[in-house]
Amino acid sequence: LQRGGELQQDVVDIILRNTRMQQSAMGDLSGQMNALDLGVRRMDALLDEYGAETVKAALVALGDRAETLARSEISGMPDGRWEAEDFMDNDGITDEALPVRVALEVQGDKLTLDFTGTAPTYAGPINIARPTAIACCYVAIKHIFPSLPANAGVMRSIDIKIPDNCLLSAEYPLPTGGYTETILRMIDVIFSAAAQAMPEKVVGNAYGTINALSIAGRRPDGKRWVMFSFYGGGHGGSIESDGLNHGSAPISTATIPPAEILESAYPVIFRQWALRDGSGGTGMHRGGLGAVYEIEVMDESAEAFLFGERGRFAPKGIAGGGDAAKNVFHYEQDDGWHEPALTSKMVGIPLKKGQRVRLETPGGGGYGQPSERPAAQVARDVSLGYIDAAAADEAYGTAWREVDQ
């Protein structure tokens, strides 16, 4: 991209010719280049102030400290081996569930994550590369032990075993475009395994899909428009509290774009953007609620695709907590509402003006036995519409009906 500090416009032009959204792509590219430039300048300033040897020694010390902290946290876990399994709906091509398995083993201050038994690579873009899988393991560990620093030294005490030719160790030219869905499932199985050893440190499964939904068309002047966004859902309950309603995925700091921004930029209107009643898993601390998004096309025609997950396998509760609601997607055609044959994935959905798509995203898994939830909290959930009365009776009993409202 640069030679001698000069931007190579011919290279940039090639990149931009391979996208329908050149302005957006150039914004991303500029952001990345500027971030790297700032990093270089900040590092140069450190070196100028302290010298190379001091900076190098400090970086080594930070890594060693991170390792010590990680080993201390692992030492606090009981020794043993715990296994967990979950599934991807499919790869978007073949309607076949894909297992993701992990065995979590603790011996002293050493932690092993063994993904033997996970599905092989697939033709659809559900694969991830080994470095991505390792980074995902770090994210899961950071959630379980939030005091650990963002430093590679944390991983020195963690042995990660991923078989070759596995869903989690794909190599070129296998497709990896749907990587977000797979890394979310990796986090889920690590949580489910760790919860067997120390449930007080772990939360129920989050909603487990970014629901990559794209709606695209042409403006009156012939230019393409592409609305590509991701959507929120519920987070899992924990030993301390109920799960977060309608949060972003636990893999980045990205936030969900506001409806006002999307409506102003694209010919769509959100007919509904609301919490999804009853979608959180039951428990002593219930899972957070997912959301309902209903989007209407205002242009003469458009085409949509969805790449999501959790349509067939619900986010799991832990420590006796209930599972959350599954992902649901419908799209409107001349003869009414339809759902994808592959449940959570579909390409080439034709839409006319006035037709809609509707996403009902999963909630989070619950934490702890539902019988331990105070009646007053159940009554509050019912009054807020988080759960209906009949479902509350079934999950929690009828004591909540005696609570003074």
Side-chain angles (χ1 to χ4, degrees), residues 203-231:
V203 299
N205 288 176
Y207 62 105
T209 174
I210 70 163
N211 272 322
L213 174 63
S214 171
I215 305 175
R218 288 191 182 276
R219 300 188 187 275
D221 61 4
K223 292 183 178 179
R224 295 280 289 178
W225 62 270
V226 182
M227 187 186 85
F228 180 88
S229 189
F230 53 92
Y231 297 87

PDB file of all heavy atoms in Angstrom, residues 203-231:
ATOM      1  N   VAL A 203     -20.673 -17.189  32.718  1.00  0.00           N
ATOM      2  CA  VAL A 203     -22.039 -16.760  32.407  1.00  0.00           C
ATOM      3  C   VAL A 203     -22.672 -17.753  31.444  1.00  0.00           C
ATOM      4  O   VAL A 203     -21.979 -18.507  30.754  1.00  0.00           O
ATOM      5  CB  VAL A 203     -22.058 -15.350  31.790  1.00  0.00           C
ATOM      6  CG1 VAL A 203     -21.472 -14.338  32.760  1.00  0.00           C
ATOM      7  CG2 VAL A 203     -21.306 -15.311  30.477  1.00  0.00           C
ATOM      8  N   GLY A 204     -23.997 -17.749  31.380  1.00  0.00           N
ATOM      9  CA  GLY A 204     -24.687 -18.562  30.384  1.00  0.00           C
ATOM     10  C   GLY A 204     -24.306 -18.120  28.979  1.00  0.00           C
ATOM     11  O   GLY A 204     -23.806 -17.012  28.758  1.00  0.00           O
ATOM     12  N   ASN A 205     -24.566 -18.991  28.023  1.00  0.00           N
ATOM     13  CA  ASN A 205     -24.232 -18.664  26.633  1.00  0.00           C
ATOM     14  C   ASN A 205     -24.937 -17.384  26.188  1.00  0.00           C
ATOM     15  O   ASN A 205     -26.125 -17.181  26.471  1.00  0.00           O
ATOM     16  CB  ASN A 205     -24.662 -19.787  25.695  1.00  0.00           C
ATOM     17  CG  ASN A 205     -23.803 -21.033  25.794  1.00  0.00           C
ATOM     18  OD1 ASN A 205     -24.096 -22.028  25.146  1.00  0.00           O
ATOM     19  ND2 ASN A 205     -22.752 -21.011  26.609  1.00  0.00           N
ATOM     20  N   ALA A 206     -24.219 -16.521  25.497  1.00  0.00           N
ATOM     21  CA  ALA A 206     -24.846 -15.375  24.843  1.00  0.00           C
ATOM     22  C   ALA A 206     -25.586 -15.853  23.600  1.00  0.00           C
ATOM     23  O   ALA A 206     -25.576 -17.046  23.268  1.00  0.00           O
ATOM     24  CB  ALA A 206     -23.792 -14.329  24.500  1.00  0.00           C
ATOM     25  N   TYR A 207     -26.194 -14.936  22.888  1.00  0.00           N
ATOM     26  CA  TYR A 207     -27.098 -15.298  21.791  1.00  0.00           C
ATOM     27  C   TYR A 207     -26.407 -15.995  20.632  1.00  0.00           C
ATOM     28  O   TYR A 207     -27.036 -16.690  19.847  1.00  0.00           O
ATOM     29  CB  TYR A 207     -27.869 -14.085  21.316  1.00  0.00           C
ATOM     30  CG  TYR A 207     -27.061 -12.951  20.760  1.00  0.00           C
ATOM     31  CD1 TYR A 207     -27.000 -12.712  19.395  1.00  0.00           C
ATOM     32  CD2 TYR A 207     -26.362 -12.078  21.596  1.00  0.00           C
ATOM     33  CE1 TYR A 207     -26.282 -11.644  18.878  1.00  0.00           C
ATOM     34  CE2 TYR A 207     -25.639 -11.009  21.090  1.00  0.00           C
ATOM     35  CZ  TYR A 207     -25.596 -10.803  19.745  1.00  0.00           C
ATOM     36  OH  TYR A 207     -24.875  -9.744  19.233  1.00  0.00           O
ATOM     37  N   GLY A 208     -25.111 -15.824  20.481  1.00  0.00           N
ATOM     38  CA  GLY A 208     -24.322 -16.712  19.638  1.00  0.00           C
ATOM     39  C   GLY A 208     -24.399 -16.538  18.146  1.00  0.00           C
ATOM     40  O   GLY A 208     -24.067 -17.461  17.400  1.00  0.00           O
ATOM     41  N   THR A 209     -24.806 -15.373  17.647  1.00  0.00           N
ATOM     42  CA  THR A 209     -24.807 -15.130  16.199  1.00  0.00           C
ATOM     43  C   THR A 209     -24.854 -13.634  15.957  1.00  0.00           C
ATOM     44  O   THR A 209     -25.581 -12.917  16.654  1.00  0.00           O
ATOM     45  CB  THR A 209     -26.004 -15.799  15.496  1.00  0.00           C
ATOM     46  OG1 THR A 209     -26.023 -15.414  14.114  1.00  0.00           O
ATOM     47  CG2 THR A 209     -27.323 -15.409  16.149  1.00  0.00           C
ATOM     48  N   ILE A 210     -24.092 -13.153  14.969  1.00  0.00           N
ATOM     49  CA  ILE A 210     -24.213 -11.729  14.645  1.00  0.00           C
ATOM     50  C   ILE A 210     -25.321 -11.500  13.620  1.00  0.00           C
ATOM     51  O   ILE A 210     -25.689 -10.364  13.348  1.00  0.00           O
ATOM     52  CB  ILE A 210     -22.894 -11.125  14.142  1.00  0.00           C
ATOM     53  CG1 ILE A 210     -22.522 -11.646  12.759  1.00  0.00           C
ATOM     54  CG2 ILE A 210     -21.764 -11.337  15.133  1.00  0.00           C
ATOM     55  CD1 ILE A 210     -21.481 -10.797  12.067  1.00  0.00           C
ATOM     56  N   ASN A 211     -25.871 -12.582  13.028  1.00  0.00           N
ATOM     57  CA  ASN A 211     -26.949 -12.443  12.037  1.00  0.00           C
ATOM     58  C   ASN A 211     -26.562 -11.436  10.955  1.00  0.00           C
ATOM     59  O   ASN A 211     -27.162 -10.365  10.825  1.00  0.00           O
ATOM     60  CB  ASN A 211     -28.253 -12.015  12.716  1.00  0.00           C
ATOM     61  CG  ASN A 211     -29.068 -13.194  13.201  1.00  0.00           C
ATOM     62  OD1 ASN A 211     -29.135 -14.231  12.541  1.00  0.00           O
ATOM     63  ND2 ASN A 211     -29.694 -13.061  14.357  1.00  0.00           N
ATOM     64  N   ALA A 212     -25.552 -11.768  10.192  1.00  0.00           N
ATOM     65  CA  ALA A 212     -25.088 -10.876   9.121  1.00  0.00           C
ATOM     66  C   ALA A 212     -26.157 -10.801   8.039  1.00  0.00           C
ATOM     67  O   ALA A 212     -26.303 -11.704   7.215  1.00  0.00           O
ATOM     68  CB  ALA A 212     -23.778 -11.397   8.543  1.00  0.00           C
ATOM     69  N   LEU A 213     -26.937  -9.730   8.071  1.00  0.00           N
ATOM     70  CA  LEU A 213     -28.036  -9.535   7.134  1.00  0.00           C
ATOM     71  C   LEU A 213     -27.687  -8.404   6.181  1.00  0.00           C
ATOM     72  O   LEU A 213     -27.348  -7.300   6.617  1.00  0.00           O
ATOM     73  CB  LEU A 213     -29.326  -9.204   7.894  1.00  0.00           C
ATOM     74  CG  LEU A 213     -30.544  -8.841   7.038  1.00  0.00           C
ATOM     75  CD1 LEU A 213     -30.976 -10.011   6.162  1.00  0.00           C
ATOM     76  CD2 LEU A 213     -31.694  -8.371   7.922  1.00  0.00           C
ATOM     77  N   SER A 214     -27.778  -8.688   4.899  1.00  0.00           N
ATOM     78  CA  SER A 214     -27.513  -7.678   3.877  1.00  0.00           C
ATOM     79  C   SER A 214     -28.753  -7.492   3.025  1.00  0.00           C
ATOM     80  O   SER A 214     -29.407  -8.463   2.629  1.00  0.00           O
ATOM     81  CB  SER A 214     -26.339  -8.114   2.989  1.00  0.00           C
ATOM     82  OG  SER A 214     -26.208  -7.239   1.886  1.00  0.00           O
ATOM     83  N   ILE A 215     -29.084  -6.240   2.763  1.00  0.00           N
ATOM     84  CA  ILE A 215     -30.144  -5.899   1.814  1.00  0.00           C
ATOM     85  C   ILE A 215     -29.528  -4.928   0.815  1.00  0.00           C
ATOM     86  O   ILE A 215     -28.921  -3.926   1.219  1.00  0.00           O
ATOM     87  CB  ILE A 215     -31.366  -5.264   2.504  1.00  0.00           C
ATOM     88  CG1 ILE A 215     -31.896  -6.182   3.616  1.00  0.00           C
ATOM     89  CG2 ILE A 215     -32.473  -4.988   1.490  1.00  0.00           C
ATOM     90  CD1 ILE A 215     -33.021  -5.569   4.427  1.00  0.00           C
ATOM     91  N   ALA A 216     -29.657  -5.210  -0.473  1.00  0.00           N
ATOM     92  CA  ALA A 216     -28.963  -4.418  -1.490  1.00  0.00           C
ATOM     93  C   ALA A 216     -29.869  -4.156  -2.677  1.00  0.00           C
ATOM     94  O   ALA A 216     -30.813  -4.904  -2.963  1.00  0.00           O
ATOM     95  CB  ALA A 216     -27.697  -5.146  -1.949  1.00  0.00           C
ATOM     96  N   GLY A 217     -29.599  -3.056  -3.384  1.00  0.00           N
ATOM     97  CA  GLY A 217     -30.359  -2.715  -4.585  1.00  0.00           C
ATOM     98  C   GLY A 217     -29.642  -1.645  -5.372  1.00  0.00           C
ATOM     99  O   GLY A 217     -28.459  -1.377  -5.164  1.00  0.00           O
ATOM    100  N   ARG A 218     -30.390  -1.010  -6.283  1.00  0.00           N
ATOM    101  CA  ARG A 218     -29.836   0.076  -7.091  1.00  0.00           C
ATOM    102  C   ARG A 218     -30.676   1.335  -6.893  1.00  0.00           C
ATOM    103  O   ARG A 218     -31.900   1.286  -6.899  1.00  0.00           O
ATOM    104  CB  ARG A 218     -29.800  -0.301  -8.579  1.00  0.00           C
ATOM    105  CG  ARG A 218     -28.753  -1.337  -8.912  1.00  0.00           C
ATOM    106  CD  ARG A 218     -28.561  -1.477 -10.420  1.00  0.00           C
ATOM    107  NE  ARG A 218     -27.581  -2.502 -10.735  1.00  0.00           N
ATOM    108  CZ  ARG A 218     -26.277  -2.303 -10.757  1.00  0.00           C
ATOM    109  NH1 ARG A 218     -25.790  -1.109 -10.497  1.00  0.00           N
ATOM    110  NH2 ARG A 218     -25.451  -3.288 -11.051  1.00  0.00           N
ATOM    111  N   ARG A 219     -29.999   2.461  -6.760  1.00  0.00           N
ATOM    112  CA  ARG A 219     -30.687   3.736  -6.645  1.00  0.00           C
ATOM    113  C   ARG A 219     -31.179   4.175  -8.030  1.00  0.00           C
ATOM    114  O   ARG A 219     -30.770   3.612  -9.057  1.00  0.00           O
ATOM    115  CB  ARG A 219     -29.752   4.775  -6.033  1.00  0.00           C
ATOM    116  CG  ARG A 219     -29.259   4.376  -4.634  1.00  0.00           C
ATOM    117  CD  ARG A 219     -28.485   5.502  -3.979  1.00  0.00           C
ATOM    118  NE  ARG A 219     -27.885   5.059  -2.715  1.00  0.00           N
ATOM    119  CZ  ARG A 219     -28.509   5.051  -1.552  1.00  0.00           C
ATOM    120  NH1 ARG A 219     -29.774   5.427  -1.476  1.00  0.00           N
ATOM    121  NH2 ARG A 219     -27.884   4.658  -0.447  1.00  0.00           N
ATOM    122  N   PRO A 220     -32.066   5.172  -8.080  1.00  0.00           N
ATOM    123  CA  PRO A 220     -32.585   5.627  -9.386  1.00  0.00           C
ATOM    124  C   PRO A 220     -31.499   6.003 -10.388  1.00  0.00           C
ATOM    125  O   PRO A 220     -31.695   5.871 -11.597  1.00  0.00           O
ATOM    126  CB  PRO A 220     -33.440   6.846  -9.002  1.00  0.00           C
ATOM    127  CG  PRO A 220     -33.905   6.558  -7.600  1.00  0.00           C
ATOM    128  CD  PRO A 220     -32.753   5.845  -6.959  1.00  0.00           C
ATOM    129  N   ASP A 221     -30.335   6.454  -9.881  1.00  0.00           N
ATOM    130  CA  ASP A 221     -29.248   6.812 -10.806  1.00  0.00           C
ATOM    131  C   ASP A 221     -28.392   5.618 -11.201  1.00  0.00           C
ATOM    132  O   ASP A 221     -27.382   5.775 -11.891  1.00  0.00           O
ATOM    133  CB  ASP A 221     -28.354   7.897 -10.195  1.00  0.00           C
ATOM    134  CG  ASP A 221     -27.679   7.451  -8.892  1.00  0.00           C
ATOM    135  OD1 ASP A 221     -27.846   6.273  -8.501  1.00  0.00           O
ATOM    136  OD2 ASP A 221     -26.991   8.286  -8.275  1.00  0.00           O
ATOM    137  N   GLY A 222     -28.786   4.417 -10.758  1.00  0.00           N
ATOM    138  CA  GLY A 222     -28.068   3.210 -11.140  1.00  0.00           C
ATOM    139  C   GLY A 222     -26.986   2.775 -10.182  1.00  0.00           C
ATOM    140  O   GLY A 222     -26.443   1.672 -10.302  1.00  0.00           O
ATOM    141  N   LYS A 223     -26.645   3.625  -9.203  1.00  0.00           N
ATOM    142  CA  LYS A 223     -25.603   3.263  -8.257  1.00  0.00           C
ATOM    143  C   LYS A 223     -26.098   2.223  -7.268  1.00  0.00           C
ATOM    144  O   LYS A 223     -27.265   2.226  -6.859  1.00  0.00           O
ATOM    145  CB  LYS A 223     -25.118   4.506  -7.504  1.00  0.00           C
ATOM    146  CG  LYS A 223     -24.359   5.492  -8.376  1.00  0.00           C
ATOM    147  CD  LYS A 223     -23.851   6.667  -7.553  1.00  0.00           C
ATOM    148  CE  LYS A 223     -23.053   7.627  -8.422  1.00  0.00           C
ATOM    149  NZ  LYS A 223     -22.566   8.799  -7.643  1.00  0.00           N
ATOM    150  N   ARG A 224     -25.196   1.344  -6.883  1.00  0.00           N
ATOM    151  CA  ARG A 224     -25.544   0.288  -5.940  1.00  0.00           C
ATOM    152  C   ARG A 224     -25.643   0.824  -4.522  1.00  0.00           C
ATOM    153  O   ARG A 224     -24.902   1.727  -4.127  1.00  0.00           O
ATOM    154  CB  ARG A 224     -24.478  -0.814  -5.966  1.00  0.00           C
ATOM    155  CG  ARG A 224     -24.363  -1.569  -7.272  1.00  0.00           C
ATOM    156  CD  ARG A 224     -25.427  -2.627  -7.417  1.00  0.00           C
ATOM    157  NE  ARG A 224     -25.205  -3.748  -6.504  1.00  0.00           N
ATOM    158  CZ  ARG A 224     -26.034  -4.787  -6.421  1.00  0.00           C
ATOM    159  NH1 ARG A 224     -27.118  -4.839  -7.148  1.00  0.00           N
ATOM    160  NH2 ARG A 224     -25.774  -5.781  -5.588  1.00  0.00           N
ATOM    161  N   TRP A 225     -26.559   0.272  -3.746  1.00  0.00           N
ATOM    162  CA  TRP A 225     -26.559   0.490  -2.305  1.00  0.00           C
ATOM    163  C   TRP A 225     -26.573  -0.872  -1.620  1.00  0.00           C
ATOM    164  O   TRP A 225     -27.199  -1.819  -2.095  1.00  0.00           O
ATOM    165  CB  TRP A 225     -27.740   1.348  -1.850  1.00  0.00           C
ATOM    166  CG  TRP A 225     -29.109   0.758  -2.115  1.00  0.00           C
ATOM    167  CD1 TRP A 225     -29.876   0.934  -3.234  1.00  0.00           C
ATOM    168  CD2 TRP A 225     -29.871  -0.084  -1.231  1.00  0.00           C
ATOM    169  NE1 TRP A 225     -31.065   0.258  -3.129  1.00  0.00           N
ATOM    170  CE2 TRP A 225     -31.094  -0.373  -1.899  1.00  0.00           C
ATOM    171  CE3 TRP A 225     -29.652  -0.620   0.026  1.00  0.00           C
ATOM    172  CZ2 TRP A 225     -32.086  -1.179  -1.326  1.00  0.00           C
ATOM    173  CZ3 TRP A 225     -30.637  -1.416   0.597  1.00  0.00           C
ATOM    174  CH2 TRP A 225     -31.836  -1.692  -0.080  1.00  0.00           C
ATOM    175  N   VAL A 226     -25.839  -0.986  -0.552  1.00  0.00           N
ATOM    176  CA  VAL A 226     -25.722  -2.244   0.188  1.00  0.00           C
ATOM    177  C   VAL A 226     -25.808  -1.923   1.680  1.00  0.00           C
ATOM    178  O   VAL A 226     -24.902  -1.275   2.230  1.00  0.00           O
ATOM    179  CB  VAL A 226     -24.403  -2.988  -0.103  1.00  0.00           C
ATOM    180  CG1 VAL A 226     -24.373  -4.313   0.665  1.00  0.00           C
ATOM    181  CG2 VAL A 226     -24.223  -3.226  -1.591  1.00  0.00           C
ATOM    182  N   MET A 227     -26.868  -2.348   2.314  1.00  0.00           N
ATOM    183  CA  MET A 227     -26.988  -2.202   3.759  1.00  0.00           C
ATOM    184  C   MET A 227     -26.566  -3.513   4.409  1.00  0.00           C
ATOM    185  O   MET A 227     -27.299  -4.499   4.398  1.00  0.00           O
ATOM    186  CB  MET A 227     -28.420  -1.866   4.175  1.00  0.00           C
ATOM    187  CG  MET A 227     -28.533  -1.532   5.670  1.00  0.00           C
ATOM    188  SD  MET A 227     -30.231  -1.286   6.246  1.00  0.00           S
ATOM    189  CE  MET A 227     -30.711  -2.990   6.575  1.00  0.00           C
ATOM    190  N   PHE A 228     -25.371  -3.532   4.940  1.00  0.00           N
ATOM    191  CA  PHE A 228     -24.861  -4.722   5.620  1.00  0.00           C
ATOM    192  C   PHE A 228     -24.698  -4.368   7.092  1.00  0.00           C
ATOM    193  O   PHE A 228     -24.009  -3.414   7.437  1.00  0.00           O
ATOM    194  CB  PHE A 228     -23.515  -5.154   5.035  1.00  0.00           C
ATOM    195  CG  PHE A 228     -22.943  -6.378   5.707  1.00  0.00           C
ATOM    196  CD1 PHE A 228     -23.270  -7.634   5.262  1.00  0.00           C
ATOM    197  CD2 PHE A 228     -22.097  -6.254   6.798  1.00  0.00           C
ATOM    198  CE1 PHE A 228     -22.760  -8.761   5.885  1.00  0.00           C
ATOM    199  CE2 PHE A 228     -21.582  -7.370   7.429  1.00  0.00           C
ATOM    200  CZ  PHE A 228     -21.909  -8.634   6.976  1.00  0.00           C
ATOM    201  N   SER A 229     -25.350  -5.125   7.943  1.00  0.00           N
ATOM    202  CA  SER A 229     -25.250  -4.827   9.362  1.00  0.00           C
ATOM    203  C   SER A 229     -25.314  -6.122  10.158  1.00  0.00           C
ATOM    204  O   SER A 229     -25.565  -7.206   9.619  1.00  0.00           O
ATOM    205  CB  SER A 229     -26.386  -3.891   9.788  1.00  0.00           C
ATOM    206  OG  SER A 229     -26.185  -3.432  11.118  1.00  0.00           O
ATOM    207  N   PHE A 230     -25.061  -5.996  11.444  1.00  0.00           N
ATOM    208  CA  PHE A 230     -25.204  -7.121  12.366  1.00  0.00           C
ATOM    209  C   PHE A 230     -26.193  -6.716  13.446  1.00  0.00           C
ATOM    210  O   PHE A 230     -26.482  -5.529  13.629  1.00  0.00           O
ATOM    211  CB  PHE A 230     -23.855  -7.513  12.974  1.00  0.00           C
ATOM    212  CG  PHE A 230     -23.115  -6.367  13.608  1.00  0.00           C
ATOM    213  CD1 PHE A 230     -23.264  -6.076  14.949  1.00  0.00           C
ATOM    214  CD2 PHE A 230     -22.257  -5.587  12.848  1.00  0.00           C
ATOM    215  CE1 PHE A 230     -22.590  -5.021  15.537  1.00  0.00           C
ATOM    216  CE2 PHE A 230     -21.567  -4.527  13.426  1.00  0.00           C
ATOM    217  CZ  PHE A 230     -21.743  -4.239  14.772  1.00  0.00           C
ATOM    218  N   TYR A 231     -26.712  -7.706  14.157  1.00  0.00           N
ATOM    219  CA  TYR A 231     -27.840  -7.465  15.037  1.00  0.00           C
ATOM    220  C   TYR A 231     -27.610  -8.104  16.401  1.00  0.00           C
ATOM    221  O   TYR A 231     -26.890  -9.081  16.525  1.00  0.00           O
ATOM    222  CB  TYR A 231     -29.127  -7.974  14.369  1.00  0.00           C
ATOM    223  CG  TYR A 231     -29.406  -7.220  13.092  1.00  0.00           C
ATOM    224  CD1 TYR A 231     -28.845  -7.631  11.886  1.00  0.00           C
ATOM    225  CD2 TYR A 231     -30.164  -6.060  13.110  1.00  0.00           C
ATOM    226  CE1 TYR A 231     -29.060  -6.911  10.714  1.00  0.00           C
ATOM    227  CE2 TYR A 231     -30.382  -5.337  11.949  1.00  0.00           C
ATOM    228  CZ  TYR A 231     -29.833  -5.760  10.757  1.00  0.00           C
ATOM    229  OH  TYR A 231     -30.036  -5.040   9.611  1.00  0.00           O
TER     230      TYR A 231
END
